[in-house]
Amino acid sequence: MTARSAPSPSTGEGRGGNNVPPAIELRGIDKRFGPVHANRAISLSVPAGTIHGVVGENGAGKSTLMSILYGYYQADAGEIWIKGRRRDIRSTADAIAAGIGMVHQHFMLVDTFTVLENVVLGVEGGPLLRRGMERARAELERLEREYKLEVDIDAVVGDLAVGLRQRIEILKALYRGAEVLILDEPTGVLTPAEADHLFRILRALKAEGKTAILITHKLREVMAVTDNVTVMRRGQVVATVRTAETSPAALAEHMVGRKVLLSVQRTPAKPGREVLRVEGLQVIDGAGIARVRDVGFAVRAGEIVGVAGVAGNGQSELIEAIAGMRAVAAGRIVLNGQEVATRATHLTPRALRDRKLAHIPEDRQRMGLVVPFAAHDSAILGQQGKPAFNIGPLLNQRGIIDSCQHQMDRYDVRPDDPHLKSANFSGGNQQKIVLAREIETDPDLLLVGQPTRGVDIGAIEFIHRRLIELRDAGKAILLVSVELDEILGLADRILVMNEGRIVGELAAEEADEQKLGLLMAGVARAA
Amino acid sequence: MMVLGAGAQAQEFVPALVFDMGGKFDKSFNEAAYSGAQKFKKDSGVDYREFEVTNETQREQALRNMARRGATVVVAIGFAHATPLQVVAKEFPNVKFTIIDGVVDLPNVQSVLFKEQEGSYLVGMLAALTSKTGKVGFVGGMDIPLIRAFACGYRQGVVAVNPKAEVFENMTGTTPAAWNDPTKGGELARSQFDRGADIVYAAAGATGLGVLQAAKDLGKLSIGVDSNQNHLHPGSVLTSMVKGVDVAVYNAFKDAKAGTWKGGIQNLGLAEKAVGWALDDNNRKLVSAENEKKVNDAMADIVSGKVKVVDYRAGNSCPAK
Amino acid sequence: MARSSDDVPAWVDLALLPLVNLLAAFAIAAVVIAILGENPFKALWVLFYGALGYGEAIGFTLYYATNFIFTGLAVAVAFHAGLFNIGGEGQAYLGGLGCGLVGLALGGWPPAIVLPLAVLAAMLFGAAWAFIPGYLQAKRGSHIVITTIMFNFIAAALMTYLLVNVFIKPGQQSPESREFDPSSWMPFVHEVAARVGITIARSPLNMSVVVALVASVGVWVFLWRTRWGYALRVVGHNETAAVYGGIAPVRVVIGAMALSGALAGLVGVNAIMGDQHRLILNFTGGYGFVGIAVALMGRNHPVGICLAALLFGALYQGGAELSFDLPRLTKEVVVVIQGLIILFCGAFEGLFRPRLLALFRRAPAPAPAKA
Amino acid sequence: MGENGVLLLLMIDATVRVATPLVLAALAGLFAERSGVVDIGLEGKMLGASFAAAAVATVTGSPWLGLVAAVLVSMALSMVHAVACVTYNGNQVVSGMALNILMAGLAPTLAFAWFSQGGQTPMLGPGARFAPIVLPFAEALAPVPVLGAIYGRISGHNVLVYIAALSVPLVAFVLYRTRFGLRLRAVGENPQAVDTAGISVAGLRYRALLCNGVLCGLSGAYLSIAHGAGFVRDMTAGKGYLALAALIFGKWRPLPTLLACLLFAFTDALQARLQGAVLPGLGAIPVQAIQALPYVLTVLLLAGFVGKAMAPKAIGIPYVKER
Ligand SMILES: Nc1ncnc2c1ncn2[C@@H]1O[C@H](COP(=O)(O)OP(=O)(O)OP(=O)(O)O)[C@@H](O)[C@H]1O
Ligand SMILES: Nc1ncnc2c1ncn2[C@@H]1O[C@H](COP(=O)(O)OP(=O)(O)OP(=O)(O)O)[C@@H](O)[C@H]1O
Ligand SMILES: [Mg+2]
Ligand SMILES: [Mg+2]
């Protein structure tokens, strides 16, 4: 089943005759984390001046492999060849010196620093900051212009939106003169427009003869920008193919080892009674900035209402306000016909849960789980007071573990061990744990934020199916996502948010990517 | 471990010493006890057992261990031993106990109290006689009755010489660290010097070292306590209020060995030469013959009963404010 | 036990490793002792025998261990809520005041009434003393480390004032209260045992040790088997997740500190009602500070805390015997040995860990972690 | 200048003297904690240093050699902390506590073994400790009103006071204006970011702890060979903890930390002068109430004005890449 059409990782070939040696060649890379065998004898060759895709389900070992190349982890066995020379990469400093740059899946930025400080960290150019910083500023401004990577150099990173933070990561790599740029799931946090912008940059780099390795779960992107693509599964390379000679369906099958439905099948919605009503809602954040402004809409039973928008336009605050986690500055929220939040009073998250609200948060690590807890303990977060999980004053330990085991089996969580630490599950599986927990409360209203961020296709298919099932069971769902595919595939009605306001509402049938894109960018305004 | 039974006691003479929390090298009354015991060891050739208490629970344990392991006479330093000794002394009626600074009313206990106020009165007088500013200071370790008695005697002495004199009084702290904080002691002394005092009396254990040092550094005078501390900074320590803990320990051991040890309460003062003021080569130049005479006269008056020095502890109040 | 590594037998992690570390500490201590001119083997034997060799020694060891269990649990509970309570010392002091007041006021009453009241008062006073820093942390963001340090000092000042000016027995120079009526004493274990016909050596060990064990089990149940403990741990690990999960961090923080203070306050029961039977100065003797090391060495788990408390109790008692029998090993040397043990068993825990774990990891297949 | 003015100047003087060891120790803690390593062991390191300083100054008669010894000992202790916490990922609080307890025992033990004076060193003579330095023109300016008095107060401290005063801007400069400072601030916030930027996290933390050792050594030396004249057991008397509190109070920044130290020192000086004060109508205030004043005041200030202290984000967490 391994389709090895083009660039073979075998040696020799790349160096024969007048051929340029591959920019990167990995041979027999092996890596274990305690009992986890993350990479098994991986060989991979990336020709110079190409964009190379790496795909694979969650936990396949993609990030690990790239971190080894970047010197962050040390391989247990194997060799790294760069431009035809074997290199010992013992630290990230070695990798940087070898011309490798990496944009990590979880950004490696110091939140309290300015953009400039983050970029120069490690390449300050002298023991005193002043001179180096001035030079860096000039150089950075040049890079920003050249690649259209605008960010305010003096902004504090903690205040910036994720899309901007990614630009900083790319700037960091470029500033260090990277010849090979590794991007680990860069588009997970970007809007389509931002993603397109990123790809333009990648193509520009390629035109300069630079090489890029792109890890992503989005096959569309693989097809659009890469020259070759490697598929990983369970720590192994299962295929390396020329992009031009493959299809999304074929890649997906390689990834999960079976056929995958890439789009969701669904019947038209049959909206029932109104479950959620939001009127004139205003939310102000800690810094006193209004993040949600005069927002009003309703969600009915049996329908999915999607909220589209570029990340950081108030969607998160909107969801958190409805979930009772943020104060309401003006307006009101009505749940099941009962007023639950106004400026004067608002129910606590706990009381809202008692009123059949469930919430799948957009950031599972920060909110959805308690990372160091055993899975079964994370699986009752928010439900710790539920009678089924308590016997008198005590927690019903057996019941909790059984329930978690049951959910793991039903939602195909792997490994299906409730005793394992939550941190030890891959992103997709963590998401399934949260999903299972929230859906199984049998809510009237389900708030869903970025349900498939960083989740592999197999899991996405599953999650989407569950959401549709839930809708069909007569639940009201409010879905926030920056993935237009997802919104278009799932939502029955679509609201578009821009700078805290709802700038448009479209029925599913009339929506398409272009219309949404314009609304999201704030250029158009729909009735 | 516990082979020493009652039988062994009869033949062997085993003196023992239990120190208070500050430890045997506190430059103060524990150390005085230590030097008394050392002197006894040197003079008699008999070694003694010792233990330094490090927490409250150990007091009773230490006293009992000493008794059980064959001590003939056990000297306990510090008032805090009174309550545990009350228990242990009853358990071992054949063992002789001496407590310094505390009272236990049992036949086999000898309670040695000192009239610190009398010695303090004399150094107070000397301070007032020597002071050029009419302002003198007192730095105590902790605000407890014992230290108040020092302070009160001192004040009485000062006022007796100069009724208009001002006495600054500071306590170091409220935790055991108060007895071991020379830095703070130095600062308190300096604060008093800043306010015009030119002589400061320290009754604060090792904290007092800082007081003496500060006086030395600023060219002022200090008064030491418990042991003769005149030698620490010759020419800067005006005098020391000596308290004969060393003598008491020495005597307890010696009497017990000689069979002349007696239970009961001893309240030792100037008359018994158990407290007093120190005059030696180190401070000779600081004390004029006239002042020396005045102080010695007062001493005679106190001994004769002509002058009464009030003990703060008797009525929880001090006549001199 | 939630904390053991996923892939080695629990006994390696929880028993073998600490033992190896303990041996390393003793090895260094032996060098120090040899330098001071004593026979290290003899010294270690005296230390060991003096701590556990005979009835009375065991009694003292357990008495000290009781104090450490209380302060260790106190630190651990706060720690699980993400709070670093350095104020155990002050809270214990106040706890002693609380039960002391009961002892003074209700002296003649039946023990069945006085003792529970004393325990309650100790917990209440300790809790109150921790409540204020907890409240300030939760509501005002005042850093708990500073406020609890400050509250230790304030407690010392308050107690000195009360003992010197209020409770002091008239005509006495020692700043201590009168003795409580014997009916209000926490019964000694040797007395209780004697009542049922068992003779054990006399020591300050009193029924507070039972309170300590009950508290240990209680803390375990509370933290890992109740929804309130669950809420507390969630707040400690991730406040955002707590808010998301319907938990109010403010209440949890205040509650956790109050509970922590209540546990520390129980030191008062052991020391005041159980041993001294009167209010005195400094009966806390640093137990509050050592409790930090006890909790962290015990990995903030009641079982670990009890074991660590036992170790420290043994060091306190054995150390006293050491300086008793080998005069060259002063009380300071004993402190050095204690420091070494904390250093090796606590801080250098990782020194042998990877090697030891590697040794045992190979053998069994990665078994699913057991609770 | 009236008598009150003079008293105020004298109190400022006292404040400076008491604040000096706190400032040095708090800045030492700043290096450690900014790098992400909790340092509750300031007390122990200070104690070790003050012993080393006094011992060497006694033997050699030179305060400078004493100072060097103090710094070396303190650095060595910092390295123990570093090995435990950085290399072996040990618990930072336990390591610090262990150092505190170890030194509380070791310093007097060594002192006893060395000098046989009961766990303390002999009192140092004038040549063996740092004497006050009279700044140039202090005498000449003395007659000038106000200015002379103020300058006279600035003059006349020992060298460590001036070092402490200079160390605040110096540390601020290092922290905010140098490469090392930038990396230090980064590693305490996000060690992964530092690591992926090609900088060794462990290397940085080791260097931070070396700086920590130097400053802590100065602080300890101040106690025994500058302000005091010899080592006495437990002579730090909680100053390490107080310095830590000042560091937190100052939100891990040099200047606010200095102010916190000055505040602690000032309230301390104040309480010394307030003891025995009589409140009209209430009579004499109990000494203990006045002694507790600095602590109460600190709590009130903390609750009233200071607001939430944001610690370096990575503090206390060992940096482990592979779980
Ligand atoms: N630092 C680590 N310590 C222990 N195990 C790890 C570590 N990093 C990754 N793993 C484990 O190694 C395996 C591979 O993880 P990796 O992050 O490389 O997967 P991935 O392909 O990048 O997945 P995803 O698509 O979710 O990002 C997973 O089982 C993961 O849990
Ligand atoms: N339905 C719920 N949803 C989310 N959290 C809950 C729920 N019920 C209880 N909890 C959480 O579990 C913990 C214990 O719940 P329980 O209802 O027993 O509290 P309680 O007995 O009312 O006590 P209190 O409200 O004073 O904390 C609380 O901290 C609460 O935050
Ligand atoms: Mg990954
Ligand atoms: Mg309830």
Side-chain angles (χ1 to χ4, degrees):
Chain A
M1 95 185 219
T2 312
R4 278 235 169 99
S5 6
S8 153
S10 64
T11 55
E13 189 180 313
R15 267 176 289 154
N18 50 8
N19 266 1
V20 213
I24 298 288
E25 200 181 338
L26 303 174
R27 297 183 187 171
I29 298 289
D30 214 273
K31 177 73 183 172
R32 283 174 186 276
F33 293 111
V36 178
H37 203 162
N39 286 165
R40 306 172 194 237
I42 289 188
S43 294
L44 178 69
S45 168
V46 180
T50 64
I51 300 178
H52 194 104
V54 177
V55 296
E57 48 185 348
N58 294 122
K62 308 177 293 287
S63 299
T64 304
L65 185 67
M66 291 305 132
S67 297
I68 288 171
L69 174 58
Y70 188 59
Y72 186 69
Y73 295 134
Q74 308 303 304
D76 300 333
E79 297 174 358
I80 298 173
W81 292 65
I82 294 171
K83 287 196 208 149
R85 286 218 341 247
R86 182 168 171 196
R87 298 290 287 253
D88 246 358
I89 295 191
R90 295 182 181 285
S91 69
T92 47
D94 292 344
I96 292 169
I100 298 174
M102 180 159 175
V103 177
H104 292 263
Q105 189 171 357
H106 306 286
F107 297 149
M108 300 294 179
L109 296 171
V110 181
D111 283 354
T112 52
F113 277 18
T114 63
V115 173
L116 182 62
E117 286 173 322
N118 264 294
V119 171
V120 300
L121 185 64
V123 280
E124 297 85 349
L128 294 186
L129 285 181
R130 185 114 165 260
R131 295 266 301 285
M133 293 286 244
E134 272 162 21
R135 253 179 289 135
R137 180 183 296 275
E139 169 71 7
L140 260 184
E141 276 164 2
R142 188 187 67 76
L143 283 173
E144 287 197 3
R145 270 196 312 276
E146 193 172 326
Y147 295 101
K148 300 212 166 49
L149 281 164
E150 280 94 13
V151 292
D152 174 4
I153 288 181
D154 296 309
V156 173
V157 166
D159 299 338
L160 297 179
V162 264
L164 290 178
R165 294 191 200 190
Q166 184 178 66
R167 291 186 184 176
I168 306 170
E169 287 282 22
I170 297 173
L171 282 171
K172 258 167 81 177
L174 295 176
Y175 183 76
R176 286 163 170 73
E179 289 292 311
V180 177
L181 187 61
I182 306 168
L183 298 126
D184 194 349
E185 290 187 39
T187 58
V189 293
L190 301 185
T191 58
E194 284 175 314
D196 284 344
H197 183 76
L198 173 67
F199 296 142
R200 272 199 299 280
I201 295 167
L202 290 186
R203 289 198 193 95
L205 290 171
K206 177 177 154 183
E208 290 173 19
K210 295 190 167 143
T211 309
I213 301 178
L214 175 71
I215 301 179
T216 179
H217 289 294
K218 298 175 190 167
L219 299 181
R220 197 169 52 105
E221 295 171 354
V222 174
M223 301 310 293
V225 286
T226 65
D227 299 302
N228 303 297
V229 52
T230 293
V231 183
M232 289 181 68
R233 172 143 48 95
R234 307 212 175 142
Q236 282 172 307
V237 169
V238 291
T240 296
V241 295
R242 270 195 217 290
T243 312
E245 295 166 9
T246 188
S247 68
L251 286 176
E253 197 178 330
H254 276 310
M255 279 166 65
V256 275
R258 63 175 163 86
K259 286 223 182 309
V260 186
L261 292 175
L262 291 177
S263 64
V264 213
Q265 307 294 308
R266 63 190 179 112
T267 52
K270 299 182 209 60
R273 71 192 169 84
E274 185 177 282
V275 176
L276 173 72
R277 161 163 295 277
V278 175
E279 287 171 8
L281 185 69
Q282 182 153 350
V283 179
I284 295 179
D285 72 3
I289 300 166
R291 309 306 295 246
V292 176
R293 304 163 193 233
D294 194 24
V295 163
F297 62 90
V299 185
R300 295 172 170 280
E303 71 166 348
I304 298 180
V305 172
V307 178
V310 178
N313 274 282
Q315 305 97 309
S316 312
E317 289 81 3
L318 172 65
I319 290 261
E320 286 177 20
I322 299 173
M325 298 176 65
R326 274 177 190 272
V328 168
R332 62 187 208 125
I333 301 172
V334 180
L335 177 64
N336 279 332
Q338 198 186 359
E339 189 172 85
V340 294
T342 62
R343 186 190 167 84
T345 61
H346 68 108
L347 292 185
T348 61
R350 183 172 150 190
L352 287 166
R353 283 173 180 279
D354 290 342
R355 284 170 178 71
K356 310 209 68 163
L357 175 144
H359 176 194
I360 298 169
E362 61 173 21
D363 187 340
R364 52 188 169 252
Q365 304 245 347
R366 207 171 61 89
M367 217 183 263
L369 300 163
V370 186
V371 184
F373 276 16
H376 65 77
D377 269 349
S378 277
I380 61 165
L381 181 61
Q383 258 102 58
Q384 64 272 30
K386 203 166 113 174
F389 294 144
N390 287 275
I391 308 173
L394 298 184
L395 285 175
N396 174 6
Q397 200 69 7
R398 260 280 44 91
I400 290 171
I401 293 170
D402 286 349
S403 145
C404 180
Q405 184 75 60
H406 182 71
Q407 289 181 0
M408 286 181 148
D409 295 343
R410 273 199 51 177
Y411 286 77
D412 190 28
V413 176
R414 275 175 284 174
D416 61 343
D417 180 359
H419 296 282
L420 219 58
K421 255 210 277 186
S422 309
N424 289 350
F425 290 87
S426 72
N429 284 306
Q430 289 179 345
Q431 186 70 356
K432 286 187 201 167
I433 294 175
V434 177
L435 200 72
R437 180 184 72 207
E438 297 300 313
I439 293 179
E440 293 301 305
T441 59
D442 187 31
D444 285 347
L445 173 67
L446 181 64
L447 306 174
V448 190
Q450 319 294 355
T452 57
R453 175 179 286 173
V455 171
D456 67 44
I457 342 181
I460 291 177
E461 181 199 10
F462 177 84
I463 291 169
H464 285 176
R465 234 186 15 236
R466 281 301 290 148
L467 290 177
I468 295 291
E469 276 171 31
L470 219 58
R471 178 198 76 163
D472 292 344
K475 311 294 178 196
I477 299 177
L478 183 65
L479 166 74
V480 168
S481 176
V482 294
E483 301 292 337
L484 285 188
D485 283 352
E486 187 162 79
I487 296 268
L488 286 167
L490 293 177
D492 302 306
R493 279 191 297 132
I494 301 170
L495 308 171
V496 183
M497 275 186 89
N498 181 267
E499 294 189 350
R501 293 177 204 282
I502 293 189
V503 291
E505 176 173 345
L506 302 168
E509 309 76 61
E510 51 171 336
D512 62 38
E513 221 167 283
Q514 202 164 5
K515 275 191 197 158
L516 289 180
L518 288 175
L519 286 169
M520 280 161 67
V523 261
R525 231 194 135 100
Chain B
M1 198 117 270
M2 282 171 289
V3 283
L4 293 173
Q9 263 177 20
Q11 288 92 31
E12 223 178 321
F13 174 68
V14 183
L17 183 57
V18 176
F19 294 102
D20 203 352
M21 212 89 94
K24 64 181 167 190
F25 296 114
D26 65 348
K27 290 280 164 264
S28 184
F29 75 139
N30 281 302
E31 190 156 342
Y34 172 71
S35 59
Q38 286 292 355
K39 181 169 179 325
F40 173 77
K41 180 174 162 185
K42 214 167 93 206
D43 292 356
S44 67
V46 179
D47 202 357
Y48 64 99
R49 296 196 80 147
E50 62 175 25
F51 185 76
E52 294 172 88
V53 164
T54 53
N55 67 53
E56 292 295 333
T57 308
Q58 282 176 351
R59 297 187 190 280
E60 190 175 323
Q61 182 188 21
L63 294 172
R64 184 175 294 116
N65 273 350
M66 289 299 186
R68 199 160 49 193
R69 297 183 192 184
T72 330
V73 56
V74 181
V75 178
I77 309 297
F79 54 73
H81 281 112
T83 308
L85 187 56
Q86 186 83 36
V87 178
V88 177
K90 277 197 202 121
E91 287 172 33
F92 297 91
N94 295 325
V95 178
K96 304 177 180 68
F97 293 94
T98 295
I99 179 167
I100 308 283
D101 275 359
V103 178
V104 174
D105 197 6
L106 286 171
N108 60 330
V109 179
Q110 178 186 65
S111 308
V112 182
L113 298 175
F114 291 90
K115 296 177 181 162
E116 290 90 358
Q117 67 276 11
E118 293 185 353
S120 298
Y121 181 95
L122 296 187
V123 299
M125 276 185 68
L126 187 61
L129 289 168
T130 313
S131 172
K132 296 192 178 66
T133 60
K135 294 173 183 170
V136 296
F138 175 86
V139 173
M142 207 190 252
D143 181 33
I144 53 175
L146 176 67
I147 298 302
R148 286 184 185 174
F150 277 90
C152 179
Y154 180 66
R155 278 177 185 277
Q156 291 175 64
V158 172
V159 174
V161 172
N162 175 3
K164 287 206 297 275
E166 214 177 321
V167 183
F168 305 120
E169 185 178 313
N170 277 110
M171 298 294 178
T172 308
T174 55
T175 62
W179 308 103
N180 267 316
D181 195 347
T183 316
K184 184 119 185 218
E187 276 309 318
L188 292 176
R190 278 167 185 266
S191 84
Q192 296 178 348
F193 292 134
D194 285 350
R195 281 177 282 171
D198 53 359
I199 301 169
V200 174
Y201 175 28
T207 300
L209 295 177
V211 175
L212 270 49
Q213 186 69 47
K216 161 89 180 162
D217 289 351
L218 297 179
K220 312 276 178 172
L221 297 177
S222 59
I223 299 174
V225 80
D226 288 346
S227 315
N228 181 348
Q229 297 183 319
N230 294 0
H231 66 279
L232 286 176
H233 297 288
S236 167
V237 182
L238 174 63
T239 180
S240 298
M241 197 296 274
V242 290
K243 174 173 163 184
V245 175
D246 48 349
V247 182
V249 172
Y250 183 85
N251 287 343
F253 283 179
K254 194 190 71 184
D255 293 350
K257 183 157 187 281
T260 55
W261 185 95
K262 279 203 305 289
I265 299 172
Q266 303 175 5
N267 205 343
L268 309 178
L270 288 175
E272 295 79 13
K273 298 201 176 358
V275 295
W277 66 295
L279 185 62
D280 58 20
D281 288 350
N282 294 310
N283 64 340
R284 181 68 268 176
K285 289 207 194 78
L286 300 171
V287 183
S288 68
E290 184 190 356
N291 287 351
E292 182 186 349
K293 181 171 179 323
K294 282 186 181 156
V295 174
N296 281 335
D297 288 350
M299 180 149 72
D301 286 348
I302 294 170
V303 170
S304 71
K306 213 169 105 191
V307 169
K308 280 243 175 307
V309 184
V310 173
D311 181 2
Y312 172 84
R313 290 162 289 197
N316 279 343
S317 67
C318 188
K321 278 281 169 251
Chain C
M1 300 245 286
R3 288 300 166 88
S4 90
S5 300
D6 282 348
D7 52 340
V8 288
W11 64 269
V12 174
D13 205 18
L14 299 175
L16 185 62
L17 201 64
L19 198 69
V20 170
N21 287 311
L22 198 59
L23 287 178
F26 279 133
I28 307 269
V31 174
V32 175
I33 291 168
I35 291 173
L36 290 169
E38 289 282 1
N39 178 346
F41 294 102
K42 179 165 178 224
L44 292 181
W45 169 247
V46 171
L47 184 69
F48 179 77
Y49 186 83
L52 299 166
Y54 53 102
E56 183 186 316
I58 297 175
F60 271 91
T61 296
L62 290 178
Y63 166 80
Y64 291 124
T66 305
N67 286 326
F68 293 131
I69 291 176
F70 287 136
T71 54
L73 289 176
V75 174
V77 165
F79 218 85
H80 279 288
L83 301 163
F84 189 22
N85 178 10
I86 311 201
E89 196 76 5
Q91 292 144 20
Y93 224 163
L94 266 283
L97 175 65
C99 64
L101 287 176
V102 171
L104 287 172
L106 308 180
W109 293 36
I113 297 175
V114 181
L115 290 180
L117 276 181
V119 169
L120 214 65
M123 294 181 74
L124 219 62
F125 273 61
W129 206 245
F131 171 86
I132 308 169
Y135 179 88
L136 293 176
Q137 166 80 66
K139 294 275 193 189
R140 311 279 325 167
S142 317
H143 203 288
I144 201 101
V145 168
I146 315 182
T147 46
T148 49
I149 289 179
M150 298 300 148
F151 266 65
N152 284 339
F153 286 114
I154 300 173
L158 177 67
M159 290 297 280
T160 308
Y161 172 77
L162 289 177
L163 277 166
V164 173
N165 298 298
V166 181
F167 293 126
I168 193 162
K169 198 160 69 181
Q172 149 147 351
Q173 77 158 324
S174 180
E176 56 186 51
S177 76
R178 66 176 163 81
E179 194 162 76
F180 312 144
D181 189 280
S183 66
S184 61
W185 297 2
M186 186 59 87
F188 286 111
V189 168
H190 56 86
E191 287 174 4
V192 175
R195 247 176 271 162
V196 295
I198 307 168
T199 316
I200 48 178
R202 171 189 176 126
S203 74
L205 181 64
N206 59 80
M207 294 310 280
S208 306
V209 71
V210 178
V211 179
L213 293 178
V214 171
S216 303
V217 176
V219 165
W220 181 81
V221 169
F222 172 78
L223 283 179
W224 282 284
R225 288 292 181 270
T226 72
R227 49 192 181 275
W228 304 285
Y230 178 87
L232 188 152
R233 288 184 298 129
V234 173
V235 170
H237 281 299
N238 185 341
E239 234 181 89
T240 319
V243 174
Y244 163 80
I247 298 161
V250 168
R251 279 167 59 182
V252 170
V253 164
I254 297 175
M257 274 310 285
L259 179 60
S260 175
L263 287 163
L266 285 171
V267 167
V269 175
N270 191 35
I272 293 297
M273 298 307 271
D275 179 30
Q276 300 292 344
H277 310 134
R278 66 211 149 105
L279 272 174
I280 56 171
L281 285 177
N282 306 321
F283 64 86
T284 47
Y287 301 129
F289 286 110
V290 179
I292 297 169
V294 170
L296 294 174
M297 279 176 68
R299 311 252 183 104
N300 290 309
H301 191 286
V303 173
I305 288 169
C306 286
L307 292 176
L310 203 59
L311 174 67
F312 277 85
L315 283 173
Y316 261 52
Q317 162 58 15
E321 295 292 309
L322 199 59
S323 55
F324 206 97
D325 280 340
L326 304 174
R328 242 180 298 191
L329 301 186
T330 55
K331 62 174 184 178
E332 285 82 17
V333 179
V334 175
V335 175
V336 172
I337 296 174
Q338 287 168 355
L340 285 172
I341 288 178
I342 301 176
L343 195 63
F344 277 89
C345 296
F348 277 103
E349 197 197 33
L351 194 57
F352 306 106
R353 190 186 189 84
R355 262 152 286 192
L356 216 61
L357 291 195
L359 212 64
F360 285 89
R361 184 178 288 135
R362 306 263 178 252
K370 279 269 137 63
Chain D
M1 186 171 300
E3 196 185 342
N4 285 334
V6 174
L7 274 182
L8 185 69
L9 275 182
L10 290 171
M11 229 159 102
I12 292 170
D13 220 22
T15 303
V16 168
R17 284 192 307 265
V18 176
T20 297
L22 295 180
V23 170
L24 289 166
L27 291 178
L30 186 140
F31 274 103
E33 303 222 328
R34 269 302 178 105
S35 82
V37 179
V38 175
D39 193 6
I40 203 170
L42 290 171
E43 180 92 359
K45 282 177 273 190
M46 280 167 76
L47 199 61
S50 60
F51 164 68
V56 171
T58 303
V59 173
T60 63
S62 156
W64 291 103
L65 289 178
L67 188 67
V68 170
V71 167
L72 288 179
V73 163
S74 167
M75 282 167 77
L77 291 172
S78 287
M79 286 302 97
V80 172
H81 192 51
V83 173
C85 302
V86 180
T87 304
Y88 289 109
N89 301 320
N91 186 306
Q92 300 169 3
V93 175
V94 175
S95 173
M97 293 282 295
L99 287 182
N100 289 346
I101 295 177
L102 192 64
M103 291 324 291
L106 200 56
T109 302
L110 292 177
F112 185 71
W114 203 342
F115 301 105
S116 308
Q117 288 203 6
Q120 65 184 44
T121 63
M123 290 286 112
L124 292 169
R129 51 197 280 258
F130 290 113
I133 299 171
V134 178
L135 294 183
F137 313 120
E139 316 231 315
L141 278 173
V144 182
V146 185
L147 185 69
I150 292 175
Y151 190 70
R153 284 293 131 191
I154 294 175
S155 164
H157 292 283
N158 65 65
V159 63
L160 287 176
V161 174
Y162 298 113
I163 290 181
L166 289 179
S167 65
V168 177
L170 185 69
V171 168
F173 178 81
V174 168
L175 198 61
Y176 297 116
R177 295 266 186 275
T178 69
R179 175 171 68 191
F180 175 60
L182 182 78
R183 295 177 173 191
L184 189 72
R185 283 182 286 140
V187 78
E189 286 293 326
N190 187 349
Q192 285 193 9
V194 169
D195 193 347
T196 54
I199 310 161
S200 158
V201 171
L204 261 179
R205 291 190 169 163
Y206 266 87
R207 272 181 286 163
L209 282 165
L210 282 174
C211 299
N212 164 281
V214 172
L215 285 165
C216 228
L218 298 177
S219 172
Y222 177 83
L223 295 182
S224 67
I225 61 172
H227 188 277
F231 170 81
V232 176
R233 72 183 61 209
D234 296 330
M235 75 183 298
T236 43
K239 290 181 186 62
Y241 291 101
L242 219 53
L244 188 68
L247 175 63
I248 298 170
F249 209 153
K251 299 187 176 178
W252 293 270
R253 296 196 303 247
L255 197 64
T257 300
L258 169 71
L259 295 179
C261 292
L262 289 174
L263 175 75
F264 286 172
F266 181 77
T267 51
D268 199 58
L270 188 67
Q271 72 87 11
R273 281 152 181 86
L274 283 183
Q275 279 187 27
V278 177
L279 264 194
L282 282 175
I285 310 165
V287 178
Q288 291 83 4
I290 292 171
Q291 286 175 323
L293 188 70
Y295 311 116
V296 175
L297 212 61
T298 303
V299 172
L300 289 179
L301 281 177
L302 210 54
F305 304 104
V306 178
K308 210 170 185 104
M310 290 302 283
K313 225 183 263 148
I315 198 164
I317 311 160
Y319 180 58
V320 193
K321 278 204 267 196
E322 307 188 13
R323 281 171 265 128

